[in-house]
Amino acid sequence: MSTPTATGEGAHQPPAPSRTATGRRRPGRLGWSPTRGDLPAALFFIAPALLGLVVFFLVPMIRGVYLSFTEYNILGDPTWIGTENYEAIARDPLFWNALGVTGQYVVINIVLQTLLALGIALLMQRIAKSTLIRGMLLLPYLMANVIAALLWFWLLDYQIGIVNHVLETLGGSRVAFFGSEEWAIPTQALINTWRHMGYTALLIFAGLQVIPKQLYEAASLDGSNAVQTFFRITLPLLRPVLVLVLVVTVIGSFQVFDTVAVTTQGGPINASRVMQYYIFQKAFTESQFGYGSALAVILFLILVLVAFVQMKFLRGNESDLG
Amino acid sequence: MRRTALGAIGVATLALTACGGGGDGGNSDALDYWLWDANQLPAYQQCAADFTESTGIEVEVTQMGWDDYWGSLTNGFVADTAPDVFTNHLSRYPEFVANGQLLALDDAEATADVDTSIYNEGLADLWVAEDGNRYGLPKDWDTIALFYNEEMLDDAGYTPDDLTDLSWNPDDGGTYEEVIAHLSVDKNGVRGDEAGFDKDNVAVYGLGLNGAGSGQGQTEWSYLTGTTGWTHTDENPWGTHYNYDDPDFQASMDWFASLADKGFMPQLETTVGASMADTFAAGKSALNANGSWMIGQYTGYDGVEVGIAPTPTGPSGERASMFNGLADSIYAGTDQPEEAAEFVAYLGSTDCQDVVAEAAVVFPAVTTSAEKAAAAYEAQGIDVSPFTTHVEDDSTFLFPITAHASQIDGIMAPAMDAVVSGKVPASSLTGANDQVNALFE
């Protein structure tokens, strides 16, 4: 969930575009301008992707924005009601609850996932050089979200789950991982961390490969220890990749849905009623598609803002490698 | 209301894999028929085959799990690919009628003059909407009873007869609570009504818990609240005012929540996950209130001897059970309204319902077929009289049918969770009730 593949794939490429190389190949030119002859071919290659973007993304998005200003139950015709949905949302305690719950999920998920992935990536570079072991780290990611969630749902079941059985055998007490308000969100964040950390580690690992070896050699000659090297060289030079990983995983985390849908369905009480689930509930369960669309538009705006802030303040599009 | 399907979901998801979209199936002339209960699939396939044989009208039967059923149906309505005929639920059909998605059966020749006196009393009336038109022909019904673990009952020194005359009240729980307490056993073997019972370390709970029950409490608490004279709505069907603010009702809910606090029933938070029936089979509870559609599942567990007892009587001196019934409806956009009506009439006939009766999976709506179903259960060694007694003694009340069902569920599910989990007292339901009633203004 937290890493849409379309965006994720870009990360396999080295993060720092080699400006110098491009410049060398086309000396004397500041930029590249298309010649008219390339246009038909370009359109031909762009068309499939463009068609998909328009049909499956742009049109639904514009229609969604329109529907957010209507009252619509999908079976009848939409009725224009202006900003009434947005006004109702501002007064809706469940909307504010959803924001809070989603925020809690994002924080736990991102902090844990990024730290663990960074650790794994460093281990992959230094110790686990076998392709088999590196490949195994990706296994959880290959499992569908719903399957991973159901698997853990059973493992962590309070009454007959094996984890609670083991906890009790070891002298601890059983934990209502999905049933208690305190645990519902952390549990789901942990499940998604488990599923995604291998993939995220792979992205960071790719970033590590790009850092020139000479820098490390120079650092060790200067007597830098491992911790100093990590904080002075690895982390700063990894920044563009980390920013990309953060942006992608944060956006993905805000949209957590399937884990909630197959386990707690918003409960207990409202403890896991995250934004996406609340949107789904309003639109598809309660047939209030106008209200659901307005919620979706708000989530979209939040994500735009979050991505913008991250790119801006973490300077994700610049590299210190230069 | 979900409960009707819960038993089926597990099986359904497994059996589902081969099922396509339905509405756009291969044979365009064939009628499409949808249902969600996998247990009933073989019986209805038989009915469809018999129908085709006598009329020449082909029928394609599609089964899909409850979780996918309603979304697929709504999508079908929008895309005009909904099945011609489908199994309908009382909680859903008012919204379909309001949106003009159902064909009035009075308008089709085959179903215009069906003799509804063959059905169990009240079932046919449920499917007449506020506009006076009929939108479904009854196919089955269900009531509530108590499943118990025979071995645990025996260990506690009870005989099955001890469970036939239980009484309950919201003040001290009556003999019903006494039995539940005595059936509860902690890890040291101390029973719930004995000194030194450790309520935080319970091995076997007297009563199992299925969930908080949302606004209906179909299997959870409605069999108790119904004995106090309380009703969900001002009138039923088509009430416009809910009564969750009633002090007597709130007292009943406080009593119910107190069972968990006393260690006689699991805490709500521990019940998220494995179903009550499965934990019952794992020996975690001795007594389970559940619906008649669960008979097959409870009696089907290996190594667990299960008996069935009637629900307790309450302050009214009577027992009470929610009476829910499914029906077959016709999609308003069907290309073959007359053929669809013929099929619906056949599904609601004694011929088809006798076939369903023999399968012993549910109680058919036709009175004589329900008797045959009871006999079929009997032949399997299962005494289902605790379920049928509600109908014989007229101790049933109807599933609450009103507009806004899904929005009410959205309000009441978390509100009831909070009460049954003991986080807030039942008096908090007054606020939820105001929200619910505001939907009707």
Side-chain angles (χ1 to χ4, degrees):
Chain A
M1 166 114 260
S2 69
T3 37
T5 41
T7 343
E9 266 159 26
H12 292 297
Q13 294 153 7
S18 39
R19 276 169 256 154
T20 46
T22 328
R24 216 175 294 143
R25 211 174 293 140
R26 293 180 178 276
R29 283 174 105 170
L30 280 172
W32 177 82
S33 65
T35 54
R36 221 164 269 284
D38 292 338
L39 192 63
L43 285 178
F44 178 78
F45 285 112
I46 292 171
L50 190 68
L51 192 74
L53 185 80
V54 170
V55 172
F56 295 111
F57 185 75
L58 217 55
V59 171
M61 194 179 85
I62 292 167
R63 185 164 162 77
V65 173
Y66 160 68
L67 287 177
S68 75
F69 294 101
T70 67
E71 189 175 334
Y72 181 46
N73 72 356
I74 210 171
L75 294 176
D77 290 319
T79 321
W80 184 268
I81 54 166
T83 57
E84 268 180 48
N85 284 329
Y86 291 95
E87 289 161 32
I89 287 172
R91 294 189 301 267
D92 183 353
L94 283 179
F95 162 71
W96 297 105
N97 170 72
L99 269 192
V101 171
T102 310
Q104 190 195 351
Y105 172 87
V106 171
V107 169
I108 299 176
N109 194 33
I110 295 306
V111 170
L112 271 180
Q113 184 176 315
T114 313
L115 288 181
L116 283 171
L118 188 59
I120 293 173
L122 290 170
L123 289 177
M124 274 162 100
Q125 197 190 23
R126 297 241 172 157
I127 300 163
K129 304 224 162 131
S130 127
T131 324
L132 184 73
I133 291 178
R134 286 175 179 177
M136 272 167 57
L137 285 166
L138 261 185
L139 278 182
Y141 185 72
L142 298 179
M143 196 185 290
N145 254 333
V146 169
I147 307 287
L150 283 178
L151 187 81
W152 282 105
F153 197 40
W154 286 106
L155 287 172
L156 298 174
D157 188 89
Y158 184 88
Q159 311 235 25
I160 53 181
I162 190 162
V163 174
N164 269 314
H165 185 75
V166 170
L167 272 181
E168 203 175 44
T169 312
L170 294 177
S173 57
R174 289 174 182 251
V175 179
F177 287 104
F178 289 97
S180 73
E181 289 184 273
E182 299 73 28
W183 274 99
I185 280 295
T187 302
Q188 312 211 27
L190 283 170
I191 292 172
N192 283 327
T193 300
W194 171 80
R195 181 170 175 271
H196 287 283
M197 63 187 181
Y199 179 75
T200 311
L202 205 69
L203 299 185
I204 298 175
F205 177 64
L208 287 175
Q209 304 286 80
V210 174
I211 300 173
K213 295 251 182 322
Q214 311 90 282
L215 293 177
Y216 288 110
E217 283 163 18
S220 74
L221 284 177
D222 289 343
S224 159
N225 65 30
V227 176
Q228 283 170 327
T229 310
F230 174 76
F231 282 104
R232 298 280 170 82
I233 296 178
T234 310
L235 210 50
L237 291 179
L238 208 50
R239 201 196 61 237
V241 173
L242 279 178
V243 172
L244 178 109
V245 165
L246 272 179
V247 171
V248 170
T249 52
V250 165
I251 290 176
S253 295
F254 264 103
Q255 301 178 68
V256 57
F257 173 75
D258 28 20
T259 318
V260 177
V262 297
T263 58
T264 54
Q265 300 181 334
I269 311 178
N270 293 310
S272 65
R273 212 169 298 278
V274 293
M275 266 310 261
Q276 281 283 51
Y277 191 80
Y278 191 49
I279 293 170
F280 167 79
Q281 179 191 333
K282 279 289 166 196
F284 292 91
T285 313
E286 300 183 18
S287 290
Q288 300 185 58
F289 283 83
Y291 198 87
S293 299
L295 286 168
V297 168
I298 292 175
L299 178 62
F300 175 74
L301 292 177
I302 292 173
L303 292 182
V304 168
L305 189 73
V306 167
F308 176 77
V309 167
Q310 284 181 315
M311 291 305 278
K312 182 92 181 161
F313 288 95
L314 298 172
R315 294 180 297 125
N317 46 358
E318 300 165 24
S319 169
D320 293 337
L321 267 176
Chain B
M1 74 184 194
R2 274 186 82 99
R3 309 290 173 257
T4 323
L6 273 183
I9 290 173
V11 192
T13 41
L14 289 177
L16 184 66
T17 42
C19 294
D24 48 356
N27 189 343
S28 59
D29 290 339
L31 288 174
D32 277 309
Y33 176 59
W34 284 10
L35 75 167
W36 66 78
D37 188 354
N39 294 320
Q40 300 181 46
L41 181 61
Y44 280 99
Q45 275 170 334
Q46 183 62 47
C47 281
D50 296 347
F51 174 73
T52 305
E53 198 171 310
S54 64
T55 62
I57 301 168
E58 300 271 336
V59 180
E60 275 184 31
V61 183
T62 302
Q63 179 271 331
M64 64 177 76
W66 171 270
D67 281 348
D68 300 314
Y69 191 84
W70 301 103
S72 304
L73 202 58
T74 307
N75 292 345
F77 289 153
V78 176
D80 200 22
T81 56
D84 304 281
V85 180
F86 61 94
T87 305
N88 210 342
H89 194 275
L90 285 173
S91 68
R92 307 279 171 152
Y93 99 93
E95 283 164 63
F96 294 158
V97 171
N99 288 303
Q101 297 301 327
L102 300 184
L103 190 81
L105 298 186
D106 319 69
D107 296 344
E109 203 182 321
T111 44
D113 299 307
V114 168
D115 175 17
T116 55
S117 68
I118 60 169
Y119 301 117
N120 247 309
E121 203 185 330
L123 287 181
D125 301 337
L126 293 172
W127 295 90
V128 177
E130 282 175 297
D131 62 8
N133 287 321
R134 165 172 301 287
Y135 290 98
L137 216 49
K139 58 192 297 164
D140 58 30
W141 54 264
D142 51 69
T143 54
I144 308 299
L146 305 172
F147 293 93
Y148 59 83
N149 183 313
E150 285 185 352
E151 196 184 335
M152 291 177 184
L153 198 73
D154 195 45
D155 288 347
Y158 290 123
T159 65
D161 284 345
D162 294 329
L163 296 187
T164 53
D165 283 314
L166 297 177
S167 66
W168 171 84
N169 65 70
D171 305 321
D172 63 8
T175 55
Y176 186 47
E177 182 171 336
E178 286 173 22
V179 167
I180 291 171
H182 193 59
L183 284 169
S184 304
V185 186
D186 74 9
K187 297 248 155 87
N188 301 316
V190 181
R191 291 190 174 273
D193 53 357
E194 294 167 359
F197 174 71
D198 182 359
K199 66 174 189 171
D200 296 320
N201 283 296
V202 179
V204 179
Y205 291 100
L207 186 67
L209 181 63
N210 217 2
S214 188
Q216 291 95 20
Q218 183 175 11
T219 62
E220 294 84 1
W221 41 260
S222 69
Y223 67 96
L224 299 171
T225 57
T227 66
T228 63
W230 179 81
T231 53
H232 290 70
T233 51
D234 53 353
E235 50 186 293
N236 196 22
W238 311 112
T240 53
H241 185 91
Y242 275 81
N243 299 325
Y244 301 119
D245 57 347
D246 182 291
D248 288 341
F249 171 71
Q250 295 182 351
S252 302
M253 291 312 297
D254 277 328
W255 173 84
F256 187 66
S258 79
L259 285 182
D261 193 42
K262 294 167 189 163
F264 301 161
M265 180 172 85
Q267 298 282 349
L268 182 69
E269 63 175 34
T270 70
T271 65
V272 176
S275 76
M276 176 172 76
D278 286 345
T279 51
F280 173 89
K284 303 281 184 184
S285 60
L287 207 59
N288 279 186
N290 218 330
S292 50
W293 63 90
M294 293 296 285
I295 295 171
Q297 183 159 347
Y298 273 93
T299 55
Y301 289 114
D302 280 342
V304 186
E305 291 300 318
V306 176
I308 306 173
T311 55
T313 57
S316 67
E318 309 269 324
R319 305 182 200 284
S321 167
M322 194 177 274
F323 197 37
N324 182 32
L326 308 182
D328 290 306
S329 294
I330 301 177
Y331 167 45
T334 177
D335 296 332
Q336 311 172 73
E338 286 304 331
E339 287 83 353
E342 271 187 65
F343 185 50
V344 167
Y346 182 74
L347 290 172
S349 72
T350 310
D351 286 347
C352 170
Q353 303 214 346
D354 278 352
V355 170
V356 177
E358 275 165 36
V361 282
V362 286
F363 293 112
V366 175
T367 315
T368 53
S369 304
E371 284 159 9
K372 286 181 183 165
Y377 280 119
E378 189 88 57
Q380 295 178 9
I382 304 163
D383 177 12
V384 293
S385 62
F387 288 104
T388 55
T389 186
H390 286 299
V391 176
E392 284 150 19
D393 301 346
D394 204 17
S395 57
T396 58
F397 58 93
L398 298 174
F399 185 97
I401 302 167
T402 68
H404 311 297
S406 50
Q407 281 170 273
I408 293 169
D409 200 43
I411 296 166
M412 291 309 295
M416 278 300 173
D417 276 2
V419 171
V420 175
S421 64
K423 298 255 159 59
V424 293
S427 56
S428 65
L429 294 172
T430 302
N433 195 55
D434 292 343
Q435 276 181 279
V436 167
N437 285 329
L439 295 171
F440 292 89
E441 281 161 11

